[in-house]
Amino acid sequence: MEIVVLSGAGLSAESGLKTFRDNGGLWEEYDVYQVATPEAWHANPELVTRFYNQRRKQLFESEPNLAHRLIAKLEAYHSVQVVTQNIDDFHERAGSTRVLHLHGELKKLRSTVDDTLVYEAGHWEVKMGDVCARGSQLRPHIVWFGESVPQMPVAEKMVREADFLLIVGTSLSVYPAAGLAYLARPEANIVLIDPAEVTHDLGEVRHIREKAGAGMQCVYEELSAL
Ligand code: APR
């Protein structure tokens, strides 16, 4: 069976990373327009760099959780493609081999003059003055609000071909990524894991109202028995 997992910040909540829109979420603490837009970068690159340094430091100090590990273990039974909005590397560290990052990767940095110059961040801290091979300041390898999402066509094709769409820990409020949830074939099974109430009309969806770990345990037991 072809499974596509569409994941969001809620999947990494049990690893200790904050989500964006829950109570106490990151966008309550920070103004998204001051830290996660191209305008923010032009106005105050130090602030943006500091914001992502904090996120990266926490990522280096955190571990994938049970839900990430169970998603990876599903590869023993099915063809599993992860499409994630998350910028952490927990899917990879848990063992998933096919991971598409829609919104970029926190542990990567890129040139501000040449998009093809992308580097692994060896440690959490980036300083002003850290430059690419062509001498320009390194920026986070993140898709900011107002920027295009280059991986969308690839992700759309994956979802359209899926037999099973597993949506975990996303409020489905940020487009174009959220639109993926509506692209599954009518005959595909859609399961959504989220402890909160869900109001989107995705058609026939099974909502498992649990945190990612408990929800994934339930889904893993079912899918590994098929
Ligand atoms: N397990 C599963 N889901 C959870 C958990 C948990 N332990 N805790 C919270 N959630 C759910 C919330 O109920 C909510 O529906 O996770 C979802 C998190 O939603 P958002 O904070 O909006 O995160 P996400 O959907 O990933 O955001 C999309 O917005 O600003 C950005 O670029 C950023 O990729 C991100 C995008």
Side-chain angles (χ1 to χ4, degrees):
M1 189 162 59
E2 191 67 42
I3 300 176
V4 169
V5 178
L6 175 60
S7 62
L11 175 62
S12 298
E14 286 165 279
S15 293
L17 302 194
K18 285 185 174 179
T19 63
F20 296 97
R21 295 173 185 79
D22 289 299
N23 282 340
L26 276 174
W27 296 152
E28 253 177 28
E29 197 178 335
Y30 298 91
D31 179 348
V32 55
Y33 296 102
Q34 289 187 1
V35 293
T37 60
E39 292 76 16
W41 176 254
H42 289 300
N44 195 342
E46 292 83 1
L47 177 69
V48 174
T49 297
R50 222 166 33 242
F51 172 75
Y52 285 101
N53 278 350
Q54 285 165 3
R55 311 272 77 72
R56 200 176 299 107
K57 182 168 193 290
Q58 198 184 6
L59 179 56
F60 271 99
E61 292 164 354
S62 309
E63 299 290 336
N65 63 51
L66 174 66
H68 296 106
R69 290 196 297 276
L70 290 175
I71 290 168
K73 279 175 71 178
L74 279 177
E75 290 190 18
Y77 307 93
H78 301 285
S79 163
V80 182
Q81 173 67 55
V82 174
V83 176
T84 187
Q85 297 165 86
N86 296 345
I87 57 175
D88 62 54
D89 62 345
F90 288 149
H91 280 296
E92 290 89 341
R93 276 153 71 187
S96 283
T97 58
R98 294 160 69 202
V99 184
L100 183 79
H101 285 271
L102 289 170
H103 293 165
E105 293 172 72
L106 191 49
K107 284 191 179 170
K108 290 185 178 165
L109 305 167
R110 77 166 184 265
S111 162
T112 34
V113 293
D114 181 350
D115 284 355
T116 64
L117 291 178
V118 177
Y119 303 90
E120 294 290 333
H123 66 122
W124 65 269
E125 190 171 25
V126 178
K127 297 195 175 83
M128 299 314 291
D130 288 350
V131 293
C132 74
R134 291 178 51 188
S136 80
Q137 176 65 39
L138 289 173
R139 60 161 274 181
H141 186 49
I142 303 288
V143 175
W144 284 324
F145 284 92
E147 293 187 315
S148 67
V149 184
Q151 300 287 4
M152 271 309 285
V154 185
E156 284 170 3
K157 184 166 184 292
M158 288 166 171
V159 174
R160 285 200 168 99
E161 289 173 356
D163 303 304
F164 194 106
L165 178 61
L166 178 55
I167 305 173
V168 190
T170 170
S171 62
L172 294 175
S173 51
V174 173
Y175 282 79
L180 290 170
Y182 300 86
L183 297 182
R185 292 178 297 132
E187 56 272 34
N189 283 304
I190 307 181
V191 172
L192 188 148
I193 301 174
D194 198 303
E197 192 185 338
V198 171
T199 51
H200 314 284
D201 184 10
L202 299 177
E204 213 171 294
V205 177
R206 178 173 156 216
H207 180 190
I208 301 177
R209 207 166 164 181
E210 299 274 3
K211 289 185 177 177
M216 267 314 299
Q217 225 152 7
C218 166
V219 170
Y220 178 81
E221 273 164 32
E222 292 174 12
L223 290 180
S224 59
L226 286 182

